[in-house]
Every structure is written in structure tokens, then in C-alpha cells.
Amino acid sequence: METFEQHYTTMLQAIRTYAPNTDLDAVERAVRYADEKHKDQKRKDGSPYIIHPLAVAEIVAELGLDTDAIVGALLHDCIEDTTASHDEIAKLFGQSVAELVEGVTKLTRVEFSTREEQQVENLRKMFMAMSKDIRVVLIKICDRLHNQRTMEYQSKAKQISKSEETMDVYAPLAHRLGMQKIKWELEDNALQYLDPEGYHELMDYLDAHKAEAEAFMENVRKKISDKLSAVGIECEISGRIKHVYSIYRKMKEQNKTLDELYDLYAFRVIVESISDCYNVLGHIHEMFKLVPGRFKDYISTPKPNNYQSLHTTVIGEEGIPFEVQIRTREMHEIAENGIAAHWKYKEGMEAGEGKEFDWIRRLLDSQQETDAEDYLHSLKVDMFDDEVFVFSPKGKVISLPAGSTPIDFAYAIHSGVGNTMIGAKINNRIAGYDVQLHNGDVVEILTSKSAKGPSRDWLNICKSNQARSKIKQWFKKEKREENIARGKTSFEGELRRMNISPAMLQNEELLPQLLKKLSFESLDDMYAAIGYGGITAVKAIGKIREDLLKASRSEAAPKETKVLEIAQPIQQNRHGDSGVIVEDIDSCMIKFSRCCTPVPGDDIVGFITKGYGVSIHRRDCPNARAANNPDLAARWVNVSWVTSGDKPFATTLEVLAEDRDALLLDFATALTSQQIRMKEIVGKDMAGGRCQFTVTFEVKGLSQLTAVMNRLRAIEGVVEVKRGQN
Ligand code: MN
């Protein structure tokens, strides 16, 4: 039997290692308080109850959470199972701890048991929405992890129902919060109760092949490590066998036996920078044979839980496939501990530094001004602050935008329900149309065949776009004449406001041109659209404003000319070692313009800036063409290259390509083959399934750059490769 002392000691160890700033006095008081409250209770294995909260607090500490969360974990079952109250806990341990315990208690009381598949997602969201404070979710997940670890003492029926809940709600939530380590353990543990036979078969197989597997992994690890250190990339490499449930799921999904199963092994390469991630990818691809279709770029497209990495699967000399995940250290920390990682990051994080990820920033947004100590206390789960989850009378969970009303609910069920609505009940009581719904409300809509249809006021009451567009649709169909009159009034009023006479619309030469721009067949069609709210009068006028103004005036305004000075210093040097000499000027600051990033061999000109020396542009740079402007002619000077050919110059290329799987992989491989190491790569999606990359790297001169450009142009799907011109 496990003892209080054992658990108390390991919890303190976890606190010292992972949460060293914890207030140990508060922890000790909480342990004593919880022990006293639970003193008459025993766990299923006969040990004192306090062991459970101690173990949960240990897991919470391992995540590196704060004092309140650890104290909250120690007290998490007090309100539910003992005589302790919210007020008493607030008095002894503070309001914030009391609210954490209250939050965990609320979740404990709801059965998040499995219903239909499509409902599970909404149950997870309801779980999050009810939690309010993200630490409540984290404590509850740690609570479930310990319950799962000690599940052997429960009845068979309970083992199965709890393990199902773990698979359906807790593991996906841990995943959503990016907590990979806990997610894996929850899944592996639940699996042994849901399919004991399958689980043990798999474990036996892995045990039997352990020595083989370890030799293989060490060999691959060394090969990658040797190669990367030879090319001067600093990294950390580890290999592992994938976790049991992920192997199990793949066997089921692909209907394969273990021997046929594809990749059991995963290697992880952790490097310093994003560009090195792609550089490593290029080398891995050169060393091993690529398995097509398995490359995933979660760096340029992070997973919804903000997981970032490059994944590729390759085959080693032994013919054994394995996966390689490449990421930076920060990505790694986020991948392991997810949202909890931010507690660790905040310490090294200055306000506004921009290091933290967007989703964390979103969570922290409202806390930006308060200091670090304070914002932890008020950290809220606002992921679902913009949603509210309610039940239909039959128990279906409906998700609506926050602030939604019975009108939104009715249209979410069906437009027919909305259009015939005559009243609503919330939790079995008649409610107004404009009452705001809350999480967990049961909503019922009363309808009648003789209903007159929606009222225009509803457009102002409803919150969801769905309801709004369905209501507009109804007016569009049912009320054309009325819409035309309303639209005409509103459109002409707007014209007059801009001092344009509505009479201009009668101009027979102008009208067809206007209708074409507006994409309407007739003015009545447009008025009707404005009347039912399909387009606003302001927006419609915006499209034809220029034409109307042009028609009412005869001459256009004279054009202004402006010269841009974009040059930014990326290298500042005295001439001589800058690689460039300036005609007629002995000694001056030289900088290479960032807009066109010239390299030796390019035809270049210099521009004397105000106070920053001479900036060097390519002669074909759009900014250099401003030399034609006579006002500036005197500031352009002739310059020429003087380099030994060894000095690297940073330059930028813009690549336009059809977006496809493994595009960046081919890209990285191409650069590696030209001995080019990327310094920066930025990608964005373009229209028509295309994407554009701006990639920065160093070359010795134009001939090397030309070779790189030709190599990139040869990649399948690449449409255009050109020198950067910002
Ligand atoms: Mn518990």
C-alpha cells in the first residue's frame, strides 16, 4: 500500500524541480487541511484518500503551474466529498483558489459520457466553456490522469465507462491544449481497459523486439548526427518507438498486422532556428530515401493546437521506414507541454516581445497590462468566450455565438422553425426573443403555421450570421415591393449626402456602365438588395462613386510624383572591405539596399542618402529608376564591385509556385544541393492555389545566384523565381 509520506516527498520533489517559485507554506497548509477533511475516507485500494490529491498536485507541479493551481489540486475534491465550503476555502487560501476548486467541482458533477460521435466535439467545448479558468481544465486533466493510473482498483464497468470518457473527452482536450505527453499516457492507459487483448499483444511484441529496435535507433541517430555536425548545424537528436495507442490505431485503420505496419520509429531533431529546420530536412532527404506523400510542413501551417514541426518519413539502409520530426527548441517545449509551457515561457518573456504564440497571446490579451504575477490569477479560458453551448429538448448540444438569443437557436435548428416561431421557452419557462442564452440552457421553440414570419427587428436582436442571412432571405423572397421602396430611399439619401444628384442615375449613357460595375440587371434589383440588407447603400455607392464623380466633373486632379527611399542598412561598412567602390568619393558608408539585395556581378548604382552614406541598388531596381527624376539626378553616383569573391552577400529571392505537398521539401533539397544555407524563409498563400516564398540566403556572386535560380526553376510546380524587389 502506498503511504502518505511517499507521496508527500515525491510531490515536494516535483515542486522543487518544475515549480521552484511555489509558496511551500501555502502547500503545507493545504496538505494539512485536505488530510483533515478527507480523514475518514479511503481509496479503493485501502490507502488514505489524501494520496489522490497529493498525486494530482504532483502532476500539476510537473507541468510547472503556479502556487494557486497546486493548492487547488490538493483541495480539488474537498467541496464535492467533504464538509469544506467555497467560503471556508476562500478565507483560508484566497478567492482564486476557491474558484479553482469550485470550477473543478462543477466539472466533476457533469457526466461527459459518450453520446453520438458528432456530439462529442460539442461536449468537449462545453467542458472548456464551463471551466472559465484554464487552470481548472489542467487540474481536471491531471485528476483524470491519476484516476486512470489507479483504475485497476475500480469495477470492470467503471473501468470501461471512465476509459471511454478519457478517450472521448480528456485525451482530445489534452491534445487540443497541445499537451502531447499527458495525451499519450491517457490514451495508452485507457486502451488497456478498452481492448486488453490488443494492448497486451502489442506490448509483448514491442518487448520482444526491444534490443533490435534500440540498435537500429542508435545507428540512425549517429548517422544523422555525424552528417549535421559535418555541415555545422547544431542540433539535438533523439529516437523513440511511437506510443502504443498511435500504433494500435494505425493497425486498425490500415487493417495491418504489426509486422506489416509502416513506421514504428520516430526521430526528433531539435535545432536553433526555423531556417535550420528546412536545412536539416534537405540533408535528411539526401541521406535517406523519401517515402512519397508523407511530408508535412506544420511550421508554415501549424496544427490547430499550434503544434509546429516538419514531418517526413524516409527509409534507412536496413529497409526500415522511420519518421523524422524537425523543430526548434521553443516548438518542442510547446509540443510537449502545450498551454502549460507558457507558464515557463512567461518568465523569460518581456511584454510585447512577440515571442509567444498567437493563441497564447489571445489568451493573455486582456491581461497585457497587469504584471506577470497578476495575470496568472485572472487567466481565463476565452477560447470559447465567443461561443455558447445549449441543449435542445432532446439533449442535442447546439453551439451558437456568445450572446445568442432564442431567435438564433430557432434558425440554427431550421429556417422553417425560425420563420414560424411564435415564442420560446428556456429551461421550461417562457422567455423573450431577446434573452441571452447561457451554457447548459435547455431551449425550446414554439411554432405556429399561421405565424406572420420574422420581423425586421429580429435582424438587430440575433447574433449569428446564420440567423441573419436566413431572415434576410425571407424578406428578399416575401417582400420585394417593400424592399425596393426602402432601398431606393436609403440609396438616394446616401447620394444626396455626398452631393450627388440622384438625377444622374437617369443618364442613359452612364446607367449601363454603372449597373455593370454594380453587377445588377436593373436599378430595382439593386434597390431590392439594399432593402432586404443584402448590400448596404454605402457599399453600392462605393463601387460607382468614381464614375459618378467623374461624370459630374470634367477634369481630373493633377498627378503627384514621389520618390521612395527604401534603402535600409543590412551591412554597413567603410568602402574597401564593403566590396564596392564609389566613384569620386574616397571614404563613405556603404549599405546594400534591402529592396533589391544586390550581389557581386549585378549592374549597380549608388544613391547618396541623407546622413546614411551611399546605398547600393541594382540598376534595374524600381527605386533606382527614380534616377530619371531630374531633381535627384545629382544624388546618384557610379559605383563598381571590388571583391575577392570570398565574401558572402545576403540576397533575397521571390518564388511563386503551385502549392502542393512536399514543395518545401524539394525546395530545401535543391538549396542543400547547391551548398546554400537559408537564413530566412517566409511564405504566404496566393490566389488560385498558389503560394509565394521570400527566401533569404548568402551567395558569393551573380553566377552562383543564377545557378541557384535555375535549380529552383526546375522544381515541379514552380511558376516563377525572381530577385526580391520590395
Ligand atoms: Mn479527484
mmCIF file of all heavy atoms in Angstrom, residues 192-214:
data_model
loop_
_atom_site.group_PDB
_atom_site.id
_atom_site.type_symbol
_atom_site.label_atom_id
_atom_site.label_comp_id
_atom_site.label_asym_id
_atom_site.label_seq_id
_atom_site.Cartn_x
_atom_site.Cartn_y
_atom_site.Cartn_z
ATOM 1 N N GLN A 192 -5.733 -0.072 -22.408
ATOM 2 C CA GLN A 192 -5.614 -1.378 -21.759
ATOM 3 C C GLN A 192 -6.910 -1.844 -21.115
ATOM 4 O O GLN A 192 -7.067 -3.031 -20.846
ATOM 5 C CB GLN A 192 -4.460 -1.423 -20.765
ATOM 6 C CG GLN A 192 -4.569 -0.446 -19.635
ATOM 7 C CD GLN A 192 -3.405 -0.583 -18.673
ATOM 8 O OE1 GLN A 192 -3.122 -1.658 -18.176
ATOM 9 N NE2 GLN A 192 -2.716 0.519 -18.435
ATOM 10 N N TYR A 193 -7.871 -0.916 -20.902
ATOM 11 C CA TYR A 193 -9.179 -1.328 -20.386
ATOM 12 C C TYR A 193 -10.191 -1.515 -21.506
ATOM 13 O O TYR A 193 -11.116 -2.293 -21.396
ATOM 14 C CB TYR A 193 -9.698 -0.307 -19.367
ATOM 15 C CG TYR A 193 -8.792 -0.225 -18.171
ATOM 16 C CD1 TYR A 193 -7.936 0.853 -17.987
ATOM 17 C CD2 TYR A 193 -8.751 -1.280 -17.249
ATOM 18 C CE1 TYR A 193 -7.067 0.905 -16.912
ATOM 19 C CE2 TYR A 193 -7.884 -1.232 -16.165
ATOM 20 C CZ TYR A 193 -7.037 -0.137 -15.999
ATOM 21 O OH TYR A 193 -6.189 -0.101 -14.945
ATOM 22 N N LEU A 194 -9.999 -0.774 -22.592
ATOM 23 C CA LEU A 194 -10.984 -0.849 -23.684
ATOM 24 C C LEU A 194 -10.702 -2.038 -24.602
ATOM 25 O O LEU A 194 -11.608 -2.612 -25.182
ATOM 26 C CB LEU A 194 -10.994 0.468 -24.471
ATOM 27 C CG LEU A 194 -11.463 1.669 -23.641
ATOM 28 C CD1 LEU A 194 -11.320 2.966 -24.422
ATOM 29 C CD2 LEU A 194 -12.910 1.483 -23.182
ATOM 30 N N ASP A 195 -9.418 -2.400 -24.773
ATOM 31 C CA ASP A 195 -9.087 -3.595 -25.555
ATOM 32 C C ASP A 195 -7.860 -4.266 -24.934
ATOM 33 O O ASP A 195 -6.749 -4.152 -25.447
ATOM 34 C CB ASP A 195 -8.804 -3.221 -27.020
ATOM 35 C CG ASP A 195 -8.472 -4.451 -27.868
ATOM 36 O OD1 ASP A 195 -8.481 -5.584 -27.319
ATOM 37 O OD2 ASP A 195 -8.193 -4.288 -29.064
ATOM 38 N N PRO A 196 -8.058 -4.955 -23.790
ATOM 39 C CA PRO A 196 -6.932 -5.530 -23.056
ATOM 40 C C PRO A 196 -6.102 -6.482 -23.932
ATOM 41 O O PRO A 196 -4.868 -6.460 -23.874
ATOM 42 C CB PRO A 196 -7.596 -6.322 -21.917
ATOM 43 C CG PRO A 196 -9.008 -5.885 -21.878
ATOM 44 C CD PRO A 196 -9.360 -5.254 -23.170
ATOM 45 N N GLU A 197 -6.789 -7.272 -24.739
ATOM 46 C CA GLU A 197 -6.082 -8.258 -25.547
ATOM 47 C C GLU A 197 -5.156 -7.577 -26.555
ATOM 48 O O GLU A 197 -3.977 -7.899 -26.660
ATOM 49 C CB GLU A 197 -7.101 -9.105 -26.288
ATOM 50 C CG GLU A 197 -6.739 -10.566 -26.356
ATOM 51 C CD GLU A 197 -7.915 -11.344 -26.900
ATOM 52 O OE1 GLU A 197 -8.896 -11.550 -26.141
ATOM 53 O OE2 GLU A 197 -7.878 -11.700 -28.093
ATOM 54 N N GLY A 198 -5.725 -6.653 -27.292
ATOM 55 C CA GLY A 198 -4.949 -5.926 -28.300
ATOM 56 C C GLY A 198 -3.773 -5.203 -27.657
ATOM 57 O O GLY A 198 -2.659 -5.196 -28.191
ATOM 58 N N TYR A 199 -4.023 -4.620 -26.496
ATOM 59 C CA TYR A 199 -2.991 -3.866 -25.805
ATOM 60 C C TYR A 199 -1.819 -4.770 -25.430
ATOM 61 O O TYR A 199 -0.660 -4.449 -25.691
ATOM 62 C CB TYR A 199 -3.586 -3.208 -24.558
ATOM 63 C CG TYR A 199 -2.575 -2.466 -23.706
ATOM 64 C CD1 TYR A 199 -2.188 -1.181 -24.033
ATOM 65 C CD2 TYR A 199 -2.012 -3.070 -22.574
ATOM 66 C CE1 TYR A 199 -1.265 -0.499 -23.263
ATOM 67 C CE2 TYR A 199 -1.084 -2.395 -21.800
ATOM 68 C CZ TYR A 199 -0.713 -1.110 -22.140
ATOM 69 O OH TYR A 199 0.205 -0.439 -21.371
ATOM 70 N N HIS A 200 -2.122 -5.918 -24.824
ATOM 71 C CA HIS A 200 -1.040 -6.770 -24.355
ATOM 72 C C HIS A 200 -0.293 -7.449 -25.493
ATOM 73 O O HIS A 200 0.920 -7.628 -25.426
ATOM 74 C CB HIS A 200 -1.562 -7.777 -23.325
ATOM 75 C CG HIS A 200 -1.852 -7.106 -22.011
ATOM 76 N ND1 HIS A 200 -3.129 -6.942 -21.517
ATOM 77 C CD2 HIS A 200 -1.018 -6.490 -21.126
ATOM 78 C CE1 HIS A 200 -3.073 -6.268 -20.373
ATOM 79 N NE2 HIS A 200 -1.805 -5.987 -20.116
ATOM 80 N N GLU A 201 -0.991 -7.756 -26.551
ATOM 81 C CA GLU A 201 -0.342 -8.340 -27.722
ATOM 82 C C GLU A 201 0.728 -7.377 -28.241
ATOM 83 O O GLU A 201 1.865 -7.746 -28.522
ATOM 84 C CB GLU A 201 -1.408 -8.585 -28.793
ATOM 85 C CG GLU A 201 -0.938 -9.448 -29.948
ATOM 86 C CD GLU A 201 -2.014 -9.525 -31.031
ATOM 87 O OE1 GLU A 201 -3.215 -9.501 -30.659
ATOM 88 O OE2 GLU A 201 -1.655 -9.575 -32.210
ATOM 89 N N LEU A 202 0.331 -6.105 -28.320
ATOM 90 C CA LEU A 202 1.239 -5.083 -28.815
ATOM 91 C C LEU A 202 2.434 -4.897 -27.881
ATOM 92 O O LEU A 202 3.589 -4.841 -28.313
ATOM 93 C CB LEU A 202 0.453 -3.771 -28.890
ATOM 94 C CG LEU A 202 0.575 -2.975 -30.168
ATOM 95 C CD1 LEU A 202 -0.513 -1.924 -30.222
ATOM 96 C CD2 LEU A 202 1.927 -2.328 -30.242
ATOM 97 N N MET A 203 2.164 -4.837 -26.576
ATOM 98 C CA MET A 203 3.240 -4.660 -25.609
ATOM 99 C C MET A 203 4.225 -5.825 -25.669
ATOM 100 O O MET A 203 5.443 -5.626 -25.605
ATOM 101 C CB MET A 203 2.662 -4.556 -24.185
ATOM 102 C CG MET A 203 1.910 -3.267 -23.920
ATOM 103 S SD MET A 203 2.862 -1.785 -24.251
ATOM 104 C CE MET A 203 3.836 -1.694 -22.756
ATOM 105 N N ASP A 204 3.698 -7.049 -25.798
ATOM 106 C CA ASP A 204 4.566 -8.227 -25.860
ATOM 107 C C ASP A 204 5.479 -8.151 -27.072
ATOM 108 O O ASP A 204 6.673 -8.441 -26.996
ATOM 109 C CB ASP A 204 3.724 -9.515 -25.922
ATOM 110 C CG ASP A 204 3.011 -9.753 -24.594
ATOM 111 O OD1 ASP A 204 3.375 -9.065 -23.607
ATOM 112 O OD2 ASP A 204 2.100 -10.595 -24.549
ATOM 113 N N TYR A 205 4.909 -7.757 -28.200
ATOM 114 C CA TYR A 205 5.692 -7.656 -29.431
ATOM 115 C C TYR A 205 6.826 -6.642 -29.251
ATOM 116 O O TYR A 205 7.986 -6.913 -29.561
ATOM 117 C CB TYR A 205 4.789 -7.223 -30.584
ATOM 118 C CG TYR A 205 5.526 -7.028 -31.902
ATOM 119 C CD1 TYR A 205 5.590 -8.054 -32.837
ATOM 120 C CD2 TYR A 205 6.154 -5.820 -32.194
ATOM 121 C CE1 TYR A 205 6.260 -7.879 -34.032
ATOM 122 C CE2 TYR A 205 6.838 -5.639 -33.383
ATOM 123 C CZ TYR A 205 6.881 -6.663 -34.306
ATOM 124 O OH TYR A 205 7.551 -6.493 -35.480
ATOM 125 N N LEU A 206 6.479 -5.474 -28.711
ATOM 126 C CA LEU A 206 7.485 -4.426 -28.544
ATOM 127 C C LEU A 206 8.585 -4.871 -27.581
ATOM 128 O O LEU A 206 9.766 -4.610 -27.812
ATOM 129 C CB LEU A 206 6.831 -3.131 -28.052
ATOM 130 C CG LEU A 206 5.867 -2.482 -29.045
ATOM 131 C CD1 LEU A 206 5.230 -1.232 -28.441
ATOM 132 C CD2 LEU A 206 6.565 -2.130 -30.350
ATOM 133 N N ASP A 207 8.203 -5.576 -26.505
ATOM 134 C CA ASP A 207 9.187 -6.077 -25.545
ATOM 135 C C ASP A 207 10.144 -7.050 -26.208
ATOM 136 O O ASP A 207 11.356 -6.991 -26.015
ATOM 137 C CB ASP A 207 8.470 -6.800 -24.386
ATOM 138 C CG ASP A 207 8.152 -5.821 -23.279
ATOM 139 O OD1 ASP A 207 8.619 -4.659 -23.375
ATOM 140 O OD2 ASP A 207 7.434 -6.202 -22.338
ATOM 141 N N ALA A 208 9.586 -7.963 -27.022
ATOM 142 C CA ALA A 208 10.399 -8.996 -27.653
ATOM 143 C C ALA A 208 11.411 -8.405 -28.634
ATOM 144 O O ALA A 208 12.460 -8.987 -28.891
ATOM 145 C CB ALA A 208 9.492 -10.004 -28.365
ATOM 146 N N HIS A 209 11.086 -7.258 -29.208
ATOM 147 C CA HIS A 209 11.977 -6.676 -30.227
ATOM 148 C C HIS A 209 12.784 -5.495 -29.719
ATOM 149 O O HIS A 209 13.304 -4.708 -30.500
ATOM 150 C CB HIS A 209 11.154 -6.252 -31.441
ATOM 151 C CG HIS A 209 10.528 -7.398 -32.154
ATOM 152 N ND1 HIS A 209 9.426 -8.060 -31.669
ATOM 153 C CD2 HIS A 209 10.870 -8.024 -33.299
ATOM 154 C CE1 HIS A 209 9.092 -9.030 -32.497
ATOM 155 N NE2 HIS A 209 9.957 -9.042 -33.502
ATOM 156 N N LYS A 210 12.872 -5.412 -28.387
ATOM 157 C CA LYS A 210 13.461 -4.224 -27.798
ATOM 158 C C LYS A 210 14.937 -4.001 -28.197
ATOM 159 O O LYS A 210 15.309 -2.906 -28.626
ATOM 160 C CB LYS A 210 13.360 -4.318 -26.273
ATOM 161 C CG LYS A 210 13.356 -2.970 -25.622
ATOM 162 C CD LYS A 210 12.984 -3.082 -24.160
ATOM 163 C CE LYS A 210 13.251 -1.749 -23.495
ATOM 164 N NZ LYS A 210 13.501 -1.859 -22.090
ATOM 165 N N ALA A 211 15.750 -5.036 -28.080
ATOM 166 C CA ALA A 211 17.188 -4.898 -28.337
ATOM 167 C C ALA A 211 17.444 -4.481 -29.782
ATOM 168 O O ALA A 211 18.203 -3.547 -30.055
ATOM 169 C CB ALA A 211 17.904 -6.221 -28.032
ATOM 170 N N GLU A 212 16.786 -5.178 -30.695
ATOM 171 C CA GLU A 212 16.855 -4.861 -32.120
ATOM 172 C C GLU A 212 16.539 -3.391 -32.371
ATOM 173 O O GLU A 212 17.251 -2.685 -33.071
ATOM 174 C CB GLU A 212 15.726 -5.641 -32.803
ATOM 175 C CG GLU A 212 16.085 -6.643 -33.849
ATOM 176 C CD GLU A 212 14.781 -7.333 -34.231
ATOM 177 O OE1 GLU A 212 14.386 -8.282 -33.510
ATOM 178 O OE2 GLU A 212 14.144 -6.882 -35.194
ATOM 179 N N ALA A 213 15.410 -2.971 -31.791
ATOM 180 C CA ALA A 213 14.923 -1.619 -32.003
ATOM 181 C C ALA A 213 15.943 -0.596 -31.517
ATOM 182 O O ALA A 213 16.226 0.387 -32.191
ATOM 183 C CB ALA A 213 13.597 -1.420 -31.272
ATOM 184 N N GLU A 214 16.539 -0.882 -30.356
ATOM 185 C CA GLU A 214 17.474 0.089 -29.801
ATOM 186 C C GLU A 214 18.733 0.215 -30.659
ATOM 187 O O GLU A 214 19.238 1.311 -30.866
ATOM 188 C CB GLU A 214 17.812 -0.265 -28.350
ATOM 189 C CG GLU A 214 16.780 0.364 -27.433
ATOM 190 C CD GLU A 214 16.812 -0.162 -26.020
ATOM 191 O OE1 GLU A 214 17.754 -0.912 -25.671
ATOM 192 O OE2 GLU A 214 15.882 0.186 -25.259
#
